[in-house]
Amino acid sequence: MRTLCAFLFASALSLAAADVAGFPSLNDARRIHGELVGLDFIHRSGEFRADDGKLMSFSMLPYAVMKYHGAEADLREVPLGTKMTFVMLPDAEGKMTRLTTTDDGQAADAAQLRKFREFTEKRGVAGWIDKTEGNTVTVTFFSGDPAAFQAAYGELLAVGKGGKLCVANDELRTWNPGVDGEGCSITEVNKVPTEYFGSSGVQVTVKVSNMLEGFRRGRVVRVFLTGWKVQDQFYGESLMGYGFGRMLNQELVENVAKEYPEQFPFRTEFSNAHLPWYQLKDDVKPPPFSEHVVFGELVQADAKTGSGKFMAELAGEQVNFTLLKHHTLKYLGADPQFAQLPTGQRYRFHLYQDATGAFSRVSFISDDFSHASANAITARVTAIHGKRIHVAWQLPLVKDYNGDMQRPQDIGSAILKVSDATRVWKGEQQVKLADLKEGDALLFNRTAELPGKASVCTDLWIGEETHKMVTEKMRKPAVAKK
């Protein structure tokens, strides 16, 4: 199993060449002040609203780290609504989407330093491989605060000390440390430059008994140092999830298009940018991961022609589209007719190119309610501040190693905006927004985020029984017609 898992990782998505070669200079970084409004803890991504009102999406490369109260912090540790400076670098297309770090202007807080250290010890300190030679692996560790890194781990990173070197991906997620890792001993410790962001200043060479396929230059690893308990990451965070029930959320399982791009002879949303997109073939179902996913607000749907229009989220560009002959529609967890899709709401569109190369052919449309329901997540209300609802994305109960039902850790968080026009439902009744309370489990639909027009919830549904009832009610007309 160890060899197989490590071999699979070896074909994982390569980091950009510039990132493999070294850490970035922040001389060209753009510093944007704003408010944190959404986080995906697992995929290390999120959103913030800049002071000018523009919603900015971001993702974090392996060496990136947020800072909160002047110290390094995992995304889970930074509250929604926090205002800070986001230090951004351009992606391959020149768009400012890569978050390297944040600055809240505060001095380092001892409690936050301790919290991040405890978080790291449960998962292993992260770094990337600079080189391999024989049965040795040279690793430079990541840190946004080299002095704090040295103070925390310096004594453990010494010649003769040991640990376990574990395969990880570029989101710092491990598969199964007990299997996808090797015991190691430190044979050399070197200081490396820290003027480029992300470098801890510490590089070690370790000796291992077996060279796993995942131990290759540029790949990411985590190291459990001497005295640390080697353990799987938490349910939903781990890429394998050994010891638990089947993962119902498909966005948390190992993404094969991202980790194993050579299996796909076309470009995907996650890899193979050098290849063309999949071209549709008559009466042939498109293969998995071949779609180009765009979020947008539906503005027109013509059931007779199977054509429509939507406004692409953030960009605000109008997209004209036609449905493929074999398409799937999802609304409120059911399979509606095209004419039943309400306009003025946000949907997920799976697009393919037409003969001119434009992404105008649609195979799949789904609203937010259906997407969350299909992935077994609900939004738990954590705070209510007027027309701003703070929620945490939660997974359903799952059996742990002992067969006991446990609630997994939250996988993300967001701020939902509501208005006087937002409808709130509980059971079969429409209730008041004031009836919403902390702890309520929500599903919702909303408008898309468009230039000059922030996303607002159109409907909120409270409680799992309500969610089931809504879907069953939506399905009844379709059943009656058969």
Side-chain angles (χ1 to χ4, degrees):
M1 178 63 73
R2 173 174 59 190
T3 302
L4 174 60
C5 293
F7 172 76
L8 292 175
F9 178 79
S11 55
L13 173 65
S14 298
L15 300 173
D19 300 320
V20 173
F23 298 95
S25 169
L26 295 187
N27 292 334
D28 298 324
R30 183 180 174 190
R31 289 162 172 80
I32 306 172
H33 194 268
E35 178 189 16
L36 188 65
V37 296
L39 287 169
D40 180 338
F41 306 154
I42 309 302
H43 299 107
R44 285 168 46 90
S45 61
E47 297 175 323
F48 68 92
R49 192 171 295 280
D51 289 346
D52 63 4
K54 183 178 180 181
L55 186 67
M56 306 281 291
S57 298
F58 66 82
S59 59
M60 302 173 70
L61 288 171
Y63 50 75
V65 63
M66 297 191 83
K67 288 190 177 180
Y68 177 61
H69 286 170
E72 292 179 307
D74 179 69
L75 277 65
R76 298 163 179 79
E77 300 163 1
V78 186
L80 293 172
T82 299
K83 294 183 178 181
M84 57 179 67
T85 297
F86 297 80
V87 184
M88 307 292 291
L89 286 171
D91 57 24
E93 297 179 352
K95 299 178 181 179
M96 290 293 174
T97 64
R98 288 181 167 180
L99 176 67
T100 57
T101 190
T102 54
D103 181 6
D104 59 5
Q106 299 187 37
D109 177 74
Q112 180 56 43
L113 285 168
R114 183 169 57 255
K115 183 182 293 186
F116 187 70
R117 180 172 180 177
E118 292 172 352
F119 174 89
T120 300
E121 289 182 6
K122 292 177 180 178
R123 294 161 176 83
V125 63
W128 59 30
I129 297 175
D130 295 311
K131 69 176 182 179
T132 60
E133 185 176 1
N135 63 341
T136 63
V137 181
T138 300
V139 178
T140 295
F141 293 111
F142 305 145
S143 178
D145 188 341
F149 184 91
Q150 181 63 38
Y153 312 120
E155 292 184 1
L156 298 177
L157 295 170
V159 174
K161 294 289 186 179
K164 190 159 190 177
L165 184 68
C166 301
V167 177
N169 74 349
D170 62 356
E171 295 166 346
L172 308 186
R173 300 171 69 187
T174 52
W175 275 259
N176 176 229
V179 175
D180 303 313
E182 277 290 315
C184 64
S185 59
I186 299 175
T187 61
E188 187 177 348
V189 180
N190 292 306
K191 292 183 178 180
V192 292
T194 58
E195 60 264 32
Y196 294 100
F197 183 83
S199 171
S200 66
V202 179
Q203 180 191 72
V204 300
T205 297
V206 299
K207 183 178 180 180
V208 295
S209 299
N210 297 288
M211 288 295 291
L212 304 185
E213 287 289 340
F215 296 162
R216 291 185 179 273
R217 182 176 182 270
R219 306 298 186 183
V220 178
V221 291
R222 279 190 179 271
V223 183
F224 289 87
L225 301 177
T226 300
W228 295 6
K229 179 182 177 181
V230 178
Q231 58 185 340
D232 289 341
Q233 290 175 319
F234 296 93
Y235 181 80
E237 186 178 343
S238 167
L239 285 160
M240 295 299 290
Y242 287 135
F244 292 93
R246 182 172 65 90
M247 176 65 72
L248 299 177
N249 187 307
Q250 292 305 301
E251 294 187 338
L252 299 183
V253 299
E254 185 179 39
N255 185 316
V256 293
K258 179 178 184 295
E259 308 299 346
Y260 320 122
E262 77 289 345
Q263 295 183 10
F264 299 83
F266 48 79
R267 180 176 179 175
T268 74
E269 293 283 27
F270 311 97
S271 62
N272 294 339
H274 62 289
L275 295 178
W277 289 94
Y278 175 82
Q279 299 301 301
L280 291 170
K281 300 177 176 62
D282 292 340
D283 297 322
V284 176
K285 184 179 179 180
F289 296 103
S290 61
E291 69 278 357
H292 175 43
V293 180
V294 176
F295 295 90
E297 187 170 306
L298 184 66
V299 296
Q300 183 179 323
D302 188 331
K304 291 183 179 180
T305 62
S307 63
K309 298 178 182 179
F310 71 86
M311 302 295 291
E313 192 162 60
L314 299 181
E317 298 174 352
Q318 180 176 289
V319 177
N320 299 317
F321 69 88
T322 56
L323 295 172
L324 297 181
K325 180 180 179 180
H326 301 290
H327 61 267
T328 300
L329 306 177
K330 289 290 182 181
Y331 177 64
L332 299 183
D335 303 302
Q337 299 297 315
F338 191 33
Q340 292 178 283
L341 294 182
T343 57
Q345 289 195 168
R346 180 181 190 261
Y347 295 90
R348 169 188 298 257
F349 296 85
H350 287 193
L351 301 175
Y352 291 88
Q353 292 174 319
D354 58 24
T356 69
F359 286 97
S360 66
R361 308 295 307 282
V362 172
S363 66
F364 179 81
I365 303 177
S366 175
D367 63 333
D368 286 341
F369 180 111
S370 299
H371 183 73
S373 180
N375 284 283
I377 53 175
T378 52
R380 185 185 73 257
V381 177
T382 57
I384 302 173
H385 301 286
K387 298 299 177 65
R388 290 156 52 99
I389 313 299
H390 290 217
V391 299
W393 291 107
Q394 66 179 10
L395 296 171
L397 294 171
V398 64
K399 284 186 179 181
D400 64 12
Y401 289 86
N402 299 317
D404 298 323
M405 300 301 292
Q406 300 286 343
R407 176 75 69 182
Q409 293 189 14
D410 296 333
I411 61 173
S413 59
I415 296 177
L416 305 178
K417 287 190 174 183
V418 296
S419 70
D420 292 337
T422 301
R423 297 177 292 265
V424 184
W425 307 89
K426 189 169 185 179
E428 296 184 351
Q429 303 298 318
Q430 183 174 349
V431 299
K432 296 179 180 179
L433 188 61
D435 294 326
L436 195 66
K437 62 182 184 299
E438 291 185 18
D440 281 341
L442 307 179
L443 288 180
F444 58 86
N445 274 335
R446 53 184 162 168
T447 62
E449 180 81 23
L450 300 174
K453 181 184 175 184
S455 175
V456 178
C457 290
T458 58
D459 295 89
L460 301 172
W461 290 272
I462 304 174
E464 294 182 1
E465 290 303 316
T466 302
H467 306 158
K468 293 176 183 178
M469 185 201 70
V470 169
T471 298
E472 290 171 358
K473 184 176 180 180
M474 187 66 192
R475 287 173 175 167
K476 282 182 179 179
V479 173
K481 291 178 182 179
K482 293 182 178 179

